[in-house]
Amino acid sequence: MDTSYPREERPPPKRGPPPAAPAPRDHLVWAIFNTLYMNFCCLGFVALAFAVKARDRKVSGDVEAARHFSSKARCYNALATAGSVLLPLLLGALIVTGVLHLSKLAQESVGFFTYQFSGSDDEDQ
């Protein structure tokens, strides 16, 4: 083995800080949608406020606070969406069952009144 030639020395690879975790989502579009279209109990406004706070913290570099506000915005957005979707469905189901119950009650009352007033005239004699 010939060692007379100088070896090519490579500098060691530079190690920087570990890759940062992805920035948290701010859920701003979802919050705007909930605010404009499905604002159940003003939860859309609350979600919008937390989404804006999350975006501000993300821009300023405070990732931990951005995650905290992003989590709150996601929770309020989920509540607003669930309330705005489930409550009309529940109300519709209650209306349908109420109408069915009233129609059954009306049919029974019609049968009762026709029996009462179409009796024979034997009672009058």
Side-chain angles (χ1 to χ4, degrees):
M1 185 156 123
D2 189 13
T3 59
S4 62
Y5 292 104
R7 292 184 190 169
E8 185 179 319
E9 295 192 23
R10 295 182 200 155
K14 293 184 180 181
R15 293 189 181 207
R25 297 178 61 187
D26 53 15
H27 306 286
L28 188 64
V29 175
W30 190 12
I32 290 172
F33 179 75
N34 278 333
T35 301
L36 293 178
Y37 296 111
M38 301 188 310
N39 195 12
F40 171 71
C41 290
C42 297
L43 290 176
F45 289 125
V46 176
L48 182 63
F50 280 114
V52 169
K53 283 182 180 183
R55 178 164 284 193
D56 288 345
R57 296 294 192 259
K58 183 169 66 171
V59 168
S60 70
D62 189 3
V63 177
E64 194 59 37
R67 267 196 199 99
H68 175 72
F69 289 128
S70 174
S71 173
K72 285 189 177 249
R74 185 180 61 232
C75 286
Y76 283 116
N77 276 322
L79 286 173
T81 302
S84 297
V85 170
L86 293 178
L87 283 179
L89 291 176
L90 181 65
L91 184 64
L94 287 174
I95 289 172
V96 166
T97 55
V99 166
L100 291 175
H101 181 70
L102 286 176
S103 67
K104 182 180 176 185
L105 189 64
Q107 287 175 352
E108 289 174 0
S109 65
V110 165
F112 174 76
F113 285 121
T114 54
Y115 176 75
Q116 283 285 64
F117 296 122
S118 66
S120 63
D121 290 336
D122 295 337
E123 296 174 0
D124 292 337
Q125 293 176 352

